[in-house]
Amino acid sequence: MTGQNIFSISAERSAFEFFLKGEMWMKDNYALATRLRVRYSETDQMKIVYNANYLDWFEVARTELCRLWGKPYTEWESEGLMLPVVEAYCRYKHPARYDDEIELWSRVSELKCHSVRFEYRVLRAADKKLLAEGWTKHGCTDCEGRLYKKEHSFYLWMKSFISEERG
């Protein structure tokens, strides 16, 4: 585990705790955000997923992660918070193909008043093979696009949630 992982798992946590969480959590505190099936429209002529679709799936994963944690994106936006993507990275490991069921895993790896970084893993559900991994960094802005420079409700909520998870 890296020093950047704010969700680091302490040595005191037992395998039983992971069992209690079921399949929703994996090593390094990635949460299973959702599962989906690769649609034909997401593939090329060889029925392999077109590379840009992984970034779309990253969006699905972070949206569902926030929903899983109890506050969907729509609520943040209605409160005036916008999270524009300012950086993105994806490392492709193995191809996803038409009709594969995939799992989208996500976590928050960095939190600052003005930004948040989500990390992702895309796995094939049938064999848990890692298909891709990456991250997106988001600015925390108001509706006019002004970057927050001090604590705000999203930052405080995320910070308290992360503290709770770290135990």
Side-chain angles (χ1 to χ4, degrees), residues 6 12 25 28 30 45 62 68 72 77-78 99 124 132 137 141 157:
I6 56 179
E12 296 80 35
W25 297 90
D28 297 330
Y30 279 86
Q45 189 175 13
R62 78 176 163 268
L68 178 69
E77 289 179 350
S78 69
D99 207 37
R124 185 172 30 246
K137 186 173 184 177
T141 72
W157 174 80

Side-chain angles (χ1 to χ4, degrees), residues 22-85:
E23 293 184 7
M24 295 298 292
W25 297 90
M26 71 164 48
K27 186 179 178 194
D28 297 330
N29 276 343
Y30 279 86
L32 176 59
T34 193
R35 289 184 173 97
L36 49 89
R37 191 162 300 276
V38 175
R39 299 172 302 162
Y40 189 81
S41 65
E42 294 171 315
T43 64
D44 60 19
Q45 189 175 13
M46 298 177 292
K47 297 186 178 117
I48 293 175
V49 170
Y50 176 67
N51 60 52
N53 286 310
Y54 288 86
L55 294 176
D56 288 339
W57 293 344
F58 289 178
E59 178 188 356
V60 171
R62 78 176 163 268
T63 300
E64 293 305 318
L65 181 66
C66 286
R67 186 183 323 281
L68 178 69
W69 287 349
K71 193 149 183 173
Y73 254 48
T74 52
E75 286 185 36
W76 293 118
E77 289 179 350
S78 69
E79 293 173 13
L81 174 79
M82 299 292 138
L83 295 174
V85 176

Side-chain angles (χ1 to χ4, degrees), residues 134-153:
W135 52 265
T136 55
K137 186 173 184 177
H138 303 260
C140 299
T141 72
D142 63 18
C143 292
E144 284 77 44
R146 290 185 299 262
L147 203 60
Y148 285 106
K149 295 182 180 172
K150 50 186 162 177
E151 294 181 347
H152 48 88
S153 61

Side-chain angles (χ1 to χ4, degrees), residues 112-126:
K112 298 179 179 172
C113 287
H114 54 80
S115 66
V116 59
R117 180 175 153 153
F118 292 88
E119 292 183 353
Y120 313 95
R121 290 183 179 163
V122 179
L123 280 66
R124 185 172 30 246

Side-chain angles (χ1 to χ4, degrees), residues 8-25:
S8 62
I9 300 168
S10 66
E12 296 80 35
R13 289 196 179 172
S14 67
F16 182 68
E17 284 179 274
F18 290 105
F19 173 76
L20 289 176
K21 291 181 178 179
E23 293 184 7
M24 295 298 292
W25 297 90

